[in-house]
Amino acid sequence: MGVRADQQGVGRWLIGFGGPDLDAVLAAQETVSLEDLALASLIRPAGFSPEFLDREFPRRTPSGRPVPVGPSAYGWQEMLTLIGAGKGATLAAITVADFYSRSDVVFVPFRDAPPVEWALMWPPSRDTAAVQAFVRTVVEYVNESRPAISR
């Protein structure tokens, strides 16, 4: 199905299969709410810390409704395969839609989710002068690109 062109710029997406359950409830909607997470089994990535998973893949909606737990996946290809097979839905940044388009997967934007936060990470053993130069360049670019915040 792909990305709805009028939804570019939204920071977080629910990725759901267009199967019988999600097609009727989530995938057919223009936008979804964090409360809608209670309607789909949430596929979570395997191998991440419990703190990360609980922060990025909540077990409850904002009102306290439980979010059904789906299978775990090792990597995006497995995640998308599970979604395409109708095993559930997952959460992702908008950029995923640009790189992982599939006919059996639909990307639906959230209307009430916070934007995705990004961070540069690298193992301490790879902390080289080149890495530090890259980090400085990214930080400078981000700081110059941010709108001024009035205090």
Side-chain angles (χ1 to χ4, degrees):
M1 286 183 133
V3 178
R4 296 185 180 104
D6 62 335
Q7 296 298 330
Q8 295 297 323
V10 177
R12 189 178 294 255
W13 296 73
L14 175 74
I15 303 174
F17 172 63
D21 295 334
L22 290 178
D23 189 28
V25 180
L26 298 175
Q29 295 184 34
E30 288 297 315
T31 63
V32 292
S33 166
L34 289 171
E35 288 300 321
D36 291 328
L37 291 176
L39 303 174
S41 296
L42 192 58
I43 301 171
R44 295 167 64 146
F48 286 83
S49 72
E51 295 81 15
F52 172 82
L53 293 173
D54 288 343
R55 184 181 68 242
E56 299 297 328
F57 297 85
R59 295 185 183 273
R60 297 203 169 275
T61 68
S63 71
R65 295 167 51 202
V67 175
V69 177
S72 295
Y74 291 93
W76 274 110
Q77 292 307 324
E78 184 178 357
M79 182 95 54
L80 294 171
T81 299
L82 289 168
I83 294 165
K87 302 296 182 187
T90 195
L91 306 174
I94 189 173
T95 54
V96 170
D98 294 334
F99 298 106
Y100 296 99
S101 179
R102 291 173 48 139
S103 62
D104 58 350
V105 173
V106 63
F107 300 81
V108 183
F110 278 98
R111 62 182 166 271
D112 59 354
V116 175
E117 294 182 6
W118 297 95
L120 294 173
M121 298 188 308
W122 62 94
S125 61
R126 305 267 179 143
D127 194 11
T128 64
V131 168
Q132 289 301 316
F134 176 75
V135 170
R136 281 191 304 278
T137 301
V138 170
V139 168
E140 288 171 11
Y141 174 77
V142 168
N143 288 337
E144 291 170 4
S145 301
R146 242 185 226 157
I149 301 172
S150 56
R151 295 181 189 201

